[in-house]
Amino acid sequence: MQRILIVSDDEFLRQMVCRTLCDLDAEVKSTPCNTEMEQLCRRMLFDLVIVLQAAPFLCGRDPIGTLRPMGLRRPLFYVVSWQQSEQTVLSLLESGIDQYMTFPVNLQRLRAKVAHDLIRQTE
């Protein structure tokens, strides 16, 4: 079974995304903080990590380099954020995220992208 991790300090947003993805054929876990995200990713391999803020990728740290084993394309990283500046988006893409979406996010579109990427990983 595939695994998805949702990361956000906003309980409402975290639960909203979890419920959107709950009926996919995947185990969905969530955490409110980046430290726990790193701990969870070290303990188990996730297929997809959805972070509902851009800050962890813009503060000079390299969470993708730390959490994605060398040579693997997993986990995929999605960032959903209020940030919309071109420089922010470019910085995120250069840091290695796989998908960037802005709030307000279309939950059906997010779910479809997640489902598509999970299927693609199993092929």
Side-chain angles (χ1 to χ4, degrees):
M1 177 175 271
Q2 294 177 299
R3 292 185 181 119
I4 301 170
L5 179 62
I6 312 298
V7 183
S8 177
D9 58 359
D10 184 313
E11 176 73 19
F12 175 76
L13 292 176
R14 196 170 67 244
Q15 290 302 318
M16 180 181 64
V17 173
C18 284
R19 290 196 173 125
T20 299
L21 304 176
C22 71
D23 64 340
L24 293 176
D25 189 23
E27 177 183 356
V28 179
K29 292 188 174 286
S30 69
T31 181
C33 68
N34 299 321
T35 304
E36 191 173 331
M37 170 185 71
E38 292 177 10
Q39 292 170 350
L40 285 168
C41 286
R42 286 189 184 105
R43 281 194 307 230
M44 62 182 68
L45 183 59
F46 287 91
D47 296 284
L48 175 63
V49 177
I50 302 174
V51 183
L52 303 178
Q53 57 190 358
F57 302 91
L58 301 174
C59 65
R61 297 181 63 213
D62 182 20
I64 294 177
T66 303
L67 301 176
R68 183 183 286 159
M70 188 64 88
L72 289 183
R73 286 283 302 146
R74 287 187 338 187
L76 294 176
F77 281 88
Y78 285 16
V79 172
V80 183
S81 174
W82 293 102
Q83 304 289 335
Q84 296 184 31
S85 75
E86 182 179 344
Q87 182 60 39
T88 299
V89 174
L90 288 174
S91 294
L92 289 168
L93 293 172
E94 288 172 355
S95 75
I97 69 157
D98 299 286
Q99 180 68 50
Y100 177 77
M101 300 174 89
T102 58
F103 287 115
V105 67
N106 180 322
L107 293 174
Q108 291 175 336
R109 181 172 175 246
L110 174 63
R111 186 181 187 292
K113 285 185 173 292
V114 168
H116 173 66
D117 281 341
L118 291 178
I119 290 168
R120 203 172 70 190
Q121 283 187 5
T122 60
E123 294 175 344

